[in-house]
Amino acid sequence: MNNKSWKDYIVYQIYPRSFMDSNGDGIGDIHGIISKLDYVKSLGVDIIWLSPVYQSPNYDNGYDISDYEAINPDYGTMEDMDLLLKEAEKRDLKIIMDLVINHTSSEHEWFKKSCENDPVYRDYYIWKDKPNNWTSFFGGKAWDKYGDQYYLHLFAKEQVDLNWHHPKVMDEVQKIMKYWLDKGIFGFRCDVINIIFKSSLDNGRKRIILTGREHYHQQEGMHQILKTLRQEVLNKYETFTVGETVMVTPKQANDLIYPEKTELDMIFSFEHMETDQFNNKWFRTKFKPKKFMKVITKWQNEVYWNANYFENHDQQRIVSRFANEAFRKYSAKMFATLLIGLKGTPYIYQGQEIGMTNGDFKEMSEFMDVETHNIYALAKKLGFSKKRRFKMMLKSSRDNNRTPMQWTKDGGFTQGTPWLKQNSNTKTINVEAQEADQNSILNYYKKMIELRNHEETLVHGDYQFISMKKNVLVFERTYAKKTLVIVCNMNDTDRKFLNQHHGKLLMTNYQEMSNLKLKPYEARIYLKEI
Ligand code: ISL
Ligand code: CA
C-alpha cells in the first residue's frame, strides 16, 4: 500500500531509557535509537511512539517534564533530536511524542514561579488552603503542602496538576504542540488525557482507589479542550493522535474519537488489561481468555476505531502474564496473530516482538519505579507481609516491562551498567539470535506486519466473533469478497479442532499441523474468497 492513510499505520513504542545506550552510561539515549532505526524499519512498522525525552528530573522517568522544549541530557541534545527526526524521515518512519499536559514536574519554571506567588504563574496550578479527600494514582493523598497552601498532584508529589481553568495554560500547551509539529513530529500520545479538567474541588465519594475521580474523570471541559487543540493546532498539520484514557467505556471512547478529526483519532482503553485483576492491578487473578475476549469483542463491536495493545511501559510482559512461560515461543506468536488480526491500530511495545519476559528481580532495591516503591510502602502500612508485598511487585511492577532491550546474548544494550537490571535470559532471548532464525518470534511479527500491510481485509474488514469454546477463539474479518478466519488456541494444552474452514492457510505458528487438533497456543489464519 502506498499512500497510506491513518488507519493503515502500525505503531512501535520506544521507551528511550531502556532501548539502546550509545555512550556507556547505562541509560538508553537518542543516538542509541538512531543506531537502531534500521532495525525498527525492518519490522515493517510506520510510526514510532517515543516515550518522553523532554527535560525532566525523572521522578517518573520523564512523565514529569520540567521543560517541554528541551531534551533531557541523559538522552542527548536538541541537535540529536533533530538528527533523529531527519534519520527517521529518511527511512519513511514517522515519530509521535508523548504530550503530558495533566501535570508538569515540580521543577518546571512555571511551578517554581507559582510557588513564589508570581501573579502570572500562581494559577497555572491548583492551590487550596485545605486539602480535600482525593487520593492519587500512585497511592496516598493527592495534595502536598508548599508555603501555606496545598497543591494538587494526581500522581507523584513531583507531578503537579495544571489548572486547565486558566486560559494561559491553554496558550502554553498550544505553543508546545506547534513547536514540535513544526519540527516535523507526526503527532502525540496524550497522557491521561481524560482526567485533565477538574470540574470542582469538592470532596469525593470514598472509594478504595481514586477517591474524588467523579470530579475530574471524563468531564465536558475535557472535550472542550480537545476540540480547541484540534481546531487551533492539530488541524493545521497532518497528524496522528492517540489519547490515553483511564477508566473509559466504549461510549466515552466514541465521544472522544467520532466524528473523525474533531478530538482524538483513537484512544487506549484499559478494560481488557483489567480482566486479570481484582479491584486493582496489585491484586492479580488468573488470566481468563474468555473474559479477556469478551471485553475485546465488546470494544471491537462498539467502538469506531480501536488502539489495540497488550503491552506498554506501564504493563507486564504478555508471555509471562497471559500465558504459561514454558510455551513462550508459541504464545508470543499467538498474541501477535490476535493483536494484528484485530480491527484497529496495532501498537507493539519494544521487546514484545522477541517475546521478552517479565524481569527477574530478586529484591526491592532492584526496582526503580516510583509507583512500585510508593505502593510497596503503602502495602506495608496496610499490614501486608514483606513476602506478600514483594510478590505483588514481582507480578505487577511496571519495571517488568522496562528492563533493557535484549539485543544480543550479552545484552547489547550498554557497555556500562544498565540503569535497571538486565534480564539474565538475554542469553537465549535476543534480537541477534532471532534475526538468524527463520522461525523466531521476531520473524513471525514481521510476517504478521507484512500481512497487514498488504491485506486490506486486516485493516478495513469487519470484526466478527465466531466462537470461544474451551478457550479456543475463532473470529473473522471480512472485506469486499474476502474473509480471514483467525483461530487462536489460548490454552497451554492441545484442543480438539475440526477444520471446517476450507480456506487457504495464510499464517501458522507451528511447522506441523493437524486437521484434528490444535497444539498449545497454536494460531492460524485462513483466507476464504467468496
Ligand atoms: O500504570 C498505572 C498505575 O498502575 C496506570 O494507572 C498509569 O498510571 C496510568 O495509566 C497513567 O499512565 C501514564 O501517566 C502516568 C505515567 O506514570 C505513566 O507512565 C503514563 O503512561 C503519569 O504521567
Ligand atoms: Ca546513554
Side-chain angles (χ1 to χ4, degrees):
M1 280 180 271
N2 294 319
N3 279 330
K4 287 190 167 184
S5 88
W6 66 274
K7 287 182 179 169
D8 296 312
Y9 296 133
I10 298 180
V11 184
Y12 183 76
Q13 184 191 353
I14 291 183
Y15 194 65
R17 211 167 184 76
S18 305
F19 193 59
M20 182 65 200
D21 174 25
S22 72
N23 62 355
D25 66 357
I27 300 174
D29 47 50
I30 294 173
H31 271 286
I33 297 172
I34 295 173
S35 73
K36 295 296 184 187
L37 283 178
D38 287 333
Y39 169 75
V40 176
K41 182 70 189 174
S42 77
L43 300 173
V45 301
D46 309 280
I47 298 179
I48 293 172
W49 153 24
L50 194 65
S51 277
V53 291
Y54 311 96
Q55 194 171 92
S56 159
N58 261 331
Y59 286 99
D60 189 18
N61 286 356
Y63 283 91
D64 49 325
I65 300 170
S66 54
D67 185 343
Y68 290 82
E69 295 178 13
I71 299 294
N72 181 341
D74 281 354
Y75 302 138
T77 62
M78 192 57 85
E79 285 72 53
D80 299 338
M81 188 64 201
D82 291 335
L83 184 65
L84 171 61
L85 282 164
K86 210 168 113 195
E87 290 295 321
E89 198 189 342
K90 258 195 215 163
R91 293 165 177 82
D92 199 19
L93 285 168
K94 299 170 171 26
I95 295 184
I96 63 169
M97 291 176 85
D98 255 276
L99 185 69
V100 186
I101 53 174
N102 177 66
H103 45 268
T104 74
S105 160
S106 52
E107 292 181 23
H108 197 292
E109 278 306 307
W110 303 336
F111 189 63
K112 288 188 191 157
K113 289 185 182 148
S114 183
C115 285
E116 286 159 14
N117 256 315
D118 182 319
V120 178
Y121 292 95
R122 184 66 180 176
D123 292 336
Y124 272 42
Y125 298 90
I126 302 166
W127 294 95
K128 227 173 165 299
D129 290 333
K130 268 201 194 149
N132 61 25
N133 68 351
W134 297 6
T135 55
S136 98
F137 279 72
F138 291 165
K141 284 184 292 208
W143 296 86
D144 253 70
K145 198 167 186 183
Y146 186 91
D148 21 297
Q149 281 197 310
Y150 291 80
Y151 64 89
L152 176 69
H153 60 87
L154 289 180
F155 292 88
K157 66 179 192 311
E158 295 84 3
Q159 293 166 297
V160 194
D161 281 53
L162 282 163
N163 174 16
W164 277 93
H165 291 267
H166 190 31
K168 291 280 275 186
V169 169
M170 171 59 91
D171 295 345
E172 298 276 12
V173 168
Q174 290 190 15
K175 182 175 153 274
I176 293 163
M177 290 169 77
K178 285 181 186 151
Y179 175 84
W180 286 103
L181 290 165
D182 286 337
K183 268 193 183 288
I185 75 153
F186 192 52
F188 300 99
R189 176 265 190 191
C190 309
D191 194 58
V192 289
I193 199 70
N194 65 335
I195 62 168
I196 62 176
F197 188 82
K198 283 79 183 172
S199 293
S200 93
L201 298 178
D202 294 343
N203 278 332
R205 183 160 71 73
K206 273 237 157 64
R207 303 173 197 261
I208 301 178
I209 54 159
L210 295 177
T211 296
R213 71 185 191 224
E214 63 273 28
H215 297 296
Y216 57 77
H217 179 248
Q218 201 71 23
Q219 304 293 301
E220 182 48 38
M222 163 209 58
H223 288 294
Q224 290 316 318
I225 293 166
L226 287 171
K227 287 196 172 90
T228 306
L229 294 177
R230 172 62 70 177
Q231 281 155 18
E232 297 300 319
V233 184
L234 294 168
N235 274 351
K236 302 192 167 143
Y237 303 77
E238 191 203 342
T239 58
F240 179 97
T241 54
V242 51
E244 186 207 28
T245 49
V246 292
M247 301 170 283
V248 76
T249 63
K251 158 101 180 47
Q252 292 168 336
N254 284 326
D255 291 343
L256 283 157
I257 65 175
Y258 196 82
E260 282 182 26
K261 306 290 170 196
T262 46
E263 294 185 34
L264 298 163
D265 291 334
M266 64 193 88
I267 59 109
F268 290 125
S269 64
F270 286 84
E271 198 180 351
H272 65 301
M273 301 303 279
E274 291 166 350
T275 54
D276 64 341
Q277 71 187 35
F278 171 74
N279 193 286
N280 65 64
K281 75 172 192 180
W282 304 99
F283 300 100
R284 278 277 148 78
T285 54
K286 198 168 172 297
F287 174 65
K288 297 225 174 64
K290 210 172 163 180
K291 212 168 151 192
F292 183 72
M293 281 316 303
K294 204 174 159 188
V295 170
I296 289 194
T297 295
K298 177 173 85 179
W299 282 77
Q300 289 280 302
N301 288 339
E302 294 177 19
V303 176
Y304 174 63
W305 187 259
N306 282 288
N308 296 316
Y309 76 97
F310 300 151
E311 285 190 24
N312 63 35
H313 64 293
D314 293 334
Q315 300 291 334
Q316 293 78 49
R317 295 292 183 181
I318 39 176
V319 293
S320 306
R321 176 177 176 182
F322 293 160
N324 178 343
E325 249 186 56
F327 293 94
R328 195 191 121 259
K329 286 189 179 159
Y330 303 101
S331 68
K333 294 176 186 173
M334 184 276 287
F335 278 113
T337 317
L338 177 59
L339 179 71
I340 300 170
L342 290 171
K343 184 172 184 181
T345 301
Y347 287 76
I348 300 163
Y349 176 69
Q350 67 182 45
Q352 182 179 342
E353 76 279 19
I354 56 168
M356 275 175 64
T357 63
N358 277 350
D360 54 355
F361 302 104
K362 300 282 187 288
E363 49 189 289
M364 269 317 284
S365 63
E366 290 173 350
F367 288 106
M368 303 298 284
D369 176 27
V370 57
E371 182 196 47
T372 307
H373 286 282
N374 283 1
I375 301 289
Y376 186 78
L378 184 72
K380 186 175 179 181
K381 268 197 209 151
L382 295 174
F384 289 90
S385 74
K386 202 170 165 186
K387 203 168 148 197
R388 175 85 195 276
R389 275 182 280 148
F390 187 60
K391 266 199 171 153
M392 289 160 90
M393 301 306 128
L394 275 184
K395 267 222 151 96
S396 303
S397 170
R398 307 191 294 183
D399 280 341
N400 280 310
N401 261 35
R402 298 176 179 183
T403 61
M405 182 71 183
Q406 297 172 195
W407 295 105
T408 66
K409 62 180 183 353
D410 306 315
F413 162 74
T414 180
Q415 305 281 357
T417 311
W419 71 278
L420 178 68
K421 191 182 168 194
Q422 173 103 53
N423 197 318
S424 56
N425 65 20
T426 192
K427 282 193 222 59
T428 50
I429 303 172
N430 62 70
V431 170
E432 193 176 56
Q434 295 199 19
E435 280 183 332
D437 172 7
Q438 281 250 326
N439 293 315
S440 63
I441 298 167
L442 177 61
N443 278 312
Y444 191 88
Y445 262 93
K446 288 186 189 175
K447 277 181 227 153
M448 269 310 296
I449 292 168
E450 191 178 273
L451 185 65
R452 190 178 185 278
N453 283 342
H454 293 100
E455 181 53 74
E456 283 184 320
T457 314
L458 276 181
V459 177
H460 299 292
D462 289 338
Y463 169 91
Q464 203 181 5
F465 175 81
I466 303 295
S467 60
M468 182 65 155
K469 287 185 196 125
K470 297 202 163 159
N471 294 335
V472 172
L473 165 70
V474 182
F475 68 97
E476 293 184 350
R477 303 287 313 279
T478 302
Y479 186 62
K481 291 202 160 85
K482 279 186 184 172
T483 295
L484 297 176
V485 184
I486 303 179
V487 181
C488 296
N489 177 10
M490 302 180 89
N491 300 282
D492 61 0
T493 48
D494 288 355
R495 280 290 180 272
K496 268 195 209 131
F497 176 72
L498 284 181
N499 180 11
Q500 309 132 327
H501 309 286
H502 308 286
K504 183 179 153 207
L505 185 74
L506 290 187
M507 289 294 291
T508 161
N509 59 348
Y510 275 87
Q511 273 138 290
E512 277 163 32
M513 285 178 18
S514 150
N515 262 331
L516 300 170
K517 66 170 191 186
L518 296 169
K519 298 207 185 86
Y521 301 107
E522 184 163 347
R524 301 178 187 179
I525 303 183
Y526 293 98
L527 168 67
K528 286 196 294 194
E529 288 185 76
I530 313 146

